Amino acid sequence: MVEFSGSDGFGMDGDLSDLVVDTPRHFPRGFSIYQAGEKGGAWRVVAGTVRLDRGLDGDGHDALASLAVVGDIIGAETLLLERYTFTARALSDCTLIPWNEYGERPGHEGLLKALARAEQRFADILALRTGRATERVARLFSIMSSGVVGRRARAGQVLPRLRDIAEITGLTIETVSRTIKQLRGEGLPGLSGGLSAMEKEDDASGR
């Protein structure tokens, strides 16, 4: 049984073709997990956050459908349709394990609970595009921290790319960069300390 502690450490990468049941898989930030229309199975998120998109919006950007955090199940539609409805990408470094309705607990209880959480989160995602910039970005980080246990685990989170945060919150990349620096200065959990090397690279390249 996998414990949802929010910690990683599996250190696995590569494609999905050689997976066996209950084998955890690590996806670095920005890595594509699966594409809409592909055949596959359902996955449970055991660390990190996954971004689910439904094609492109009118401006040619990925159209956000939802976010999946620790404990959520993604790709459940394949249990009926065999193919993925959305495209999934690692918003932060994340770890997944293959899921089926008979693996973790009897019957469909696990799936129903995960779907209920996902439906509730949809309202939170809609709210990410309203309010001040600090409120939007802080709200996103709060969603990403759902299910992550312990201050050390939260502090060790790798932030999404600036471009992803901007698309999700409806802000510009420049505004996101300034807002993160402001929130870090205010001591928001998970943002203490200076910029990471990855964030500096994002900031410099405007990604």
Side-chain angles (χ1 to χ4, degrees):
M1 176 68 71
V2 175
E3 195 168 313
F4 301 145
S5 65
S7 61
D8 201 333
F10 296 113
M12 304 182 71
D13 52 23
D15 62 34
L16 307 181
S17 60
D18 59 346
L19 281 177
V20 296
V21 174
D22 294 332
T23 300
R25 201 69 167 187
H26 173 72
F27 296 90
R29 183 187 73 156
F31 194 88
S32 176
I33 298 171
Y34 57 73
Q35 297 289 320
E38 291 180 347
K39 286 188 175 183
W43 300 83
R44 182 179 286 277
V45 182
V46 296
T49 304
V50 175
R51 172 175 175 164
L52 300 170
D53 295 315
R54 57 176 187 277
L56 303 178
D57 61 19
D59 297 323
H61 299 138
D62 293 326
L64 178 70
S66 187
L67 297 174
V69 299
V70 174
D72 286 348
I73 296 170
I74 62 173
E77 68 274 15
T78 60
L79 300 176
L80 293 175
L81 307 175
E82 295 187 349
R83 295 181 183 274
Y84 295 113
T85 302
F86 304 109
T87 292
R89 179 159 50 84
L91 186 64
S92 64
D93 290 356
C94 63
T95 303
L96 311 178
I97 56 172
W99 181 91
N100 67 70
E101 64 270 35
Y102 304 106
E104 295 178 1
R105 49 173 63 91
H108 300 272
E109 180 185 357
L111 177 58
L112 292 176
K113 287 184 176 180
L115 292 178
R117 284 197 304 269
E119 184 176 351
Q120 183 177 359
R121 188 171 306 113
F122 184 71
D124 296 332
I125 293 173
L126 289 178
L128 290 174
R129 286 178 167 263
T130 62
R132 295 177 301 174
T134 52
E135 295 172 342
R136 299 186 195 189
V137 176
R139 201 175 290 139
L140 172 60
F141 293 159
S142 177
I143 291 174
M144 293 180 63
S145 296
S146 300
V148 178
V149 178
R151 180 175 297 179
R152 178 179 297 180
R154 289 194 296 271
Q157 291 183 99
V158 175
L159 297 183
R161 297 178 300 180
L162 297 180
R163 182 181 67 189
D164 282 321
I165 299 176
E167 289 180 0
I168 292 171
T169 59
L171 302 169
T172 65
I173 291 177
E174 293 76 15
T175 299
V176 168
S177 180
R178 290 196 302 269
T179 302
I180 290 176
K181 292 175 183 177
Q182 178 181 344
L183 291 173
R184 177 175 276 110
E186 294 174 357
L188 186 72
L191 289 179
S192 58
L195 289 173
S196 68
M198 195 172 294
E199 289 174 271
K200 289 178 181 177
E201 181 181 342
D202 276 0
D203 210 5
S205 62
R207 290 189 297 175

